[in-house]
Amino acid sequence: AVTKSFSPGDRICGCAHGANQDQPEDGVFAEYAMVKGDVQMKIPDSLTFEQAATFPLGVATVAQGLYQQALKMKLPTEPTTGGEWVLIYGGSTATGSLGVQFAKA
């Protein structure tokens, strides 16, 4: 069950399948889209649709690099107690600046 409260007309962004052969109702090649609610977020008023469209890919890239594949850091919900260091090479890029924010959390 979706734990987020969305209403018709909300501006949202997130991850979606282009097409899903196993669940055809879960895809976005249409005028209207059916997506999984828990991998979506409301778009803040300060972001345009175009800006929000880039956000999910950057977050997924950073999360995989920091928490899954490369560094296997603890999640932000489980803060470290030691003085761990991480170098975000290219921290001034869009994905790099997200990486800096996630590493600080």
Side-chain angles (χ1 to χ4, degrees), residues 44-60:
D45 291 335
S46 59
L47 292 180
T48 65
F49 275 113
E50 293 79 10
Q51 291 168 325
T54 66
F55 192 66
L57 179 61
V59 169

Side-chain angles (χ1 to χ4, degrees), residues 3-103:
T3 58
K4 297 181 180 178
S5 58
F6 295 125
S7 300
D10 282 348
R11 295 175 349 121
I12 64 169
C13 69
C15 298
H17 289 106
N20 185 341
Q21 187 173 356
D22 295 330
Q23 295 176 321
E25 70 280 1
D26 179 28
V28 294
F29 290 138
E31 184 177 353
Y32 297 97
M34 178 74 72
V35 295
K36 295 184 184 331
D38 281 340
V39 292
Q40 312 306 316
M41 65 176 251
K42 287 185 181 178
I43 300 172
D45 291 335
S46 59
L47 292 180
T48 65
F49 275 113
E50 293 79 10
Q51 291 168 325
T54 66
F55 192 66
L57 179 61
V59 169
T61 302
V62 168
Q64 286 186 335
L66 291 179
Y67 308 116
Q68 288 181 339
Q69 298 186 359
L71 298 179
K72 298 184 181 175
M73 293 173 59
K74 289 185 178 181
L75 293 171
T77 55
E78 304 170 17
T80 61
T81 55
E84 292 186 66
W85 290 82
V86 61
L87 171 64
I88 307 291
Y89 191 76
S92 63
T93 66
T95 303
S97 63
L98 283 171
V100 169
Q101 295 304 310
F102 273 64

